[in-house]
């Protein structure tokens, strides 16, 4: 049995012609010049406002004096870090920060997922859009407005929620100054302000789910809960994992503005966190190097947590962020 060979086309040049040259880098850049021009604002933003300020982090290792500048200030190594870790306030700040972060992680993080799954089940378009709009609106309010509304609702003598809750419980609690109520109020504010906005990513992920899967599950007799558990959740699991990794990396960033606006002299024992501590020490007391050391500590912990959470996600065969 004979085998036939299929002739292949060759790109040999004719006599007197030169082989075509590969286009150079500059030619490709020129061809895509408009795309690179569109990229310039984003690159400039990150270069100016994200990467350039990192140079200032060196003052965490110096006895920074504004009149001398960064370069001429004396190098003292890790003295600020040692002072921070041995400070009696460190344990209290770490405890308050972690408690608030874990409450947000356990309570506030799952709520957008549940809302997105509930909205995904709504089949009346106008109802779905109306609900989405209503739960998106609080995100666009500043924390100053949210704090002001909270003070109006829970104020002594004039706050409607103050009278409603105290009459129902038979107590006389000042929710705005009682340390026991500070964390529940912070979590409730976070839920009201950002839960609706957090559903956007999950709804986008749910839009890619093949509807044939739901139809097949209905034919097999699966109810809504079983369809949500076996189809909806697996479909957005990668999105959940990625956002969870990012949330874990921000575990020491509880948000300065919200905490600062809701804290007072009576609840400060539970309200002081790393973000407010950096403000009071760095801005009001002028300890720039010390406060920079605290901020650098937060950044390093965040990087370690992101890398660790990403490795865990990879180990359990989930999608990581890198």
């Amino acid at each position: 049995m004979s085998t036939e060979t299929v002739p292949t086309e060759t790109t040999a040049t004719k006599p007197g012609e030169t082989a075509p040259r590969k286009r150079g880098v500059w030619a490709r850049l020129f061809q895509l010049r408009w795309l690179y021009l569109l990229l310039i604002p984003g690159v400039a933003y990150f270069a100016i406002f994200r990467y350039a300020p990192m140079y200032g982090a060196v003052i965490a290792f110096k006895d920074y004096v504004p009149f001398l500048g960064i370069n001429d200030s004396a190098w003292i190594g890790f003295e600020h870090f040692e002072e921070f870790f041995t400070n009696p306030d460190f344990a209290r700040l770490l405890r308050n920060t972690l408690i608030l972060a874990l409450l947000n992680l356990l309570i506030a993080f799952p709520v957008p997922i549940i809302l997105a799954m509930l909205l995904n089940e709504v089949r009346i378009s106008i109802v779905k859009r109306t609900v989405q709009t209503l739960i998106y609106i609080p995100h666009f309010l500043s924390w100053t407005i949210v704090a002001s509304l909270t003070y109006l609702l829970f104020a002594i003598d004039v706050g409607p929620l103050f009278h409603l809750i105290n009459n129902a419980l038979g107590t006389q609690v000042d929710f705005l100054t009682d340390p026991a109520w500070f964390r529940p109020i912070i979590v409730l504010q976070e839920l009201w302000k950002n839960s609706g906005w957090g559903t956007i990513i999950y709804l986008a992920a749910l839009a890619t789910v093949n509807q044939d899967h739901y139809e097949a599950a209905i034919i097999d007799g699966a109810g809504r809960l079983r369809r949500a558990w076996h189809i909806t959740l697996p479909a957005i699991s990668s999105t959940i994992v990625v956002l969870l990794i990012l949330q874990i990396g921000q575990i020491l960033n509880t948000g300065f503005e919200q905490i600062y606006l809701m804290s007072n002299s009576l609840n400060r024992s539970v309200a002081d966190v790393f973000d407010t501590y950096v403000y009071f020490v760095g801005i009001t007391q002028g300890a720039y190097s010390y406060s920079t050391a605290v901020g650098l500590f937060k950044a390093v912990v965040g990087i370690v947590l992101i890398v660790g959470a990403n490795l865990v996600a990879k180990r359990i065969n989930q999608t990581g962020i890198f």
Side-chain angles (χ1 to χ4, degrees):
M1 180 177 182
S2 61
T3 60
E4 297 181 356
T5 58
V6 179
T8 59
E9 296 182 0
T10 61
T11 57
T13 58
K14 297 180 180 180
E17 294 182 355
T18 57
R21 295 181 179 179
K22 293 182 178 179
R23 288 191 304 171
V25 175
W26 292 109
R28 292 197 297 271
L29 290 177
F30 181 77
Q31 183 183 8
L32 302 175
R33 59 190 180 279
W34 301 117
L35 293 178
Y36 287 108
L37 284 175
L38 293 174
L39 189 64
I40 289 176
V43 173
Y45 168 78
F46 281 96
I48 296 172
F49 297 104
R50 297 293 181 178
Y51 288 99
M54 288 184 182
Y55 174 71
V58 73
I59 68 175
F61 306 94
K62 291 190 172 188
D63 185 13
Y64 175 67
V65 179
F67 299 102
L68 296 177
I70 296 177
N71 295 328
D72 295 331
S73 297
W75 182 274
I76 59 174
F78 292 92
E79 288 187 15
H80 292 306
F81 294 93
E82 294 175 0
E83 180 183 355
F84 175 56
F85 294 141
T86 57
N87 193 318
D89 292 332
F90 174 75
R92 179 172 59 88
L93 293 171
L94 182 62
R95 181 179 65 253
N96 293 341
T97 302
L98 289 179
I99 289 176
L100 281 176
L102 291 175
L103 286 175
N104 284 327
L105 190 65
L106 296 175
I107 299 175
F109 181 79
V111 170
I113 303 173
I114 299 172
L115 284 176
M117 294 176 64
L118 292 175
L119 287 172
N120 189 57
E121 295 294 327
V122 178
R123 295 294 176 259
I124 304 176
S125 180
I126 187 172
V127 174
K128 184 176 182 178
R129 290 199 301 268
T130 302
V131 173
Q132 284 180 289
T133 302
L134 291 176
I135 63 178
Y136 289 168
I137 289 175
H139 175 78
F140 299 99
L141 301 178
S142 68
W143 281 116
T144 303
I145 296 177
V146 175
S148 299
L149 292 174
T150 305
Y151 276 102
L152 290 175
L153 292 173
F154 290 97
I156 297 179
D157 297 334
V158 296
L161 291 183
F162 172 82
H163 291 289
L164 180 64
I165 297 176
N166 279 316
N167 290 336
L169 299 179
T171 58
Q172 193 70 18
V173 179
D174 184 0
F175 302 101
L176 298 176
T177 59
D178 190 351
W181 281 91
F182 175 79
R183 289 164 183 153
I185 289 177
I186 292 296
V187 174
L188 289 174
Q189 286 180 336
E190 179 68 25
L191 288 172
W192 182 73
K193 187 176 188 298
N194 293 323
S195 292
W197 186 255
T199 61
I200 293 177
I201 297 177
Y202 298 111
L203 286 173
L206 288 172
T208 63
V209 180
N210 191 342
Q211 296 300 314
D212 293 339
H213 296 166
Y214 290 107
E215 294 176 3
I218 293 173
I219 294 174
D220 290 338
R224 288 184 179 270
L225 289 178
R226 294 190 63 183
R227 295 200 300 269
W229 182 259
H230 294 286
I231 299 176
T232 306
L233 273 179
I236 62 174
S237 61
S238 59
T239 304
I240 295 174
V241 170
V242 170
L243 294 179
L244 179 61
I245 293 172
L246 296 176
Q247 181 75 13
I248 291 174
Q250 297 290 323
I251 199 167
L252 294 184
N253 295 326
T254 51
F256 164 76
E257 189 177 357
Q258 180 191 15
I259 306 298
Y260 177 75
L261 291 171
M262 295 305 302
S263 63
N264 51 63
S265 59
L266 297 178
N267 63 15
R268 189 146 296 166
S269 60
V270 297
D272 280 340
V273 294
F274 288 128
D275 292 321
T276 56
Y277 183 72
V278 168
Y279 168 76
F280 287 122
V281 174
I283 303 300
T284 63
Q285 300 180 16
Y288 302 112
S289 294
Y290 181 77
S291 59
T292 302
V294 178
L296 190 59
F297 162 73
K298 288 174 48 186
V300 171
V301 171
I303 293 173
V304 172
L305 289 175
I306 286 179
V307 173
N310 190 77
L311 290 175
V312 173
K314 292 290 188 180
R315 290 289 181 88
I316 60 176
N317 297 323
Q318 290 290 339
T319 302
I321 59 175
F322 53 84

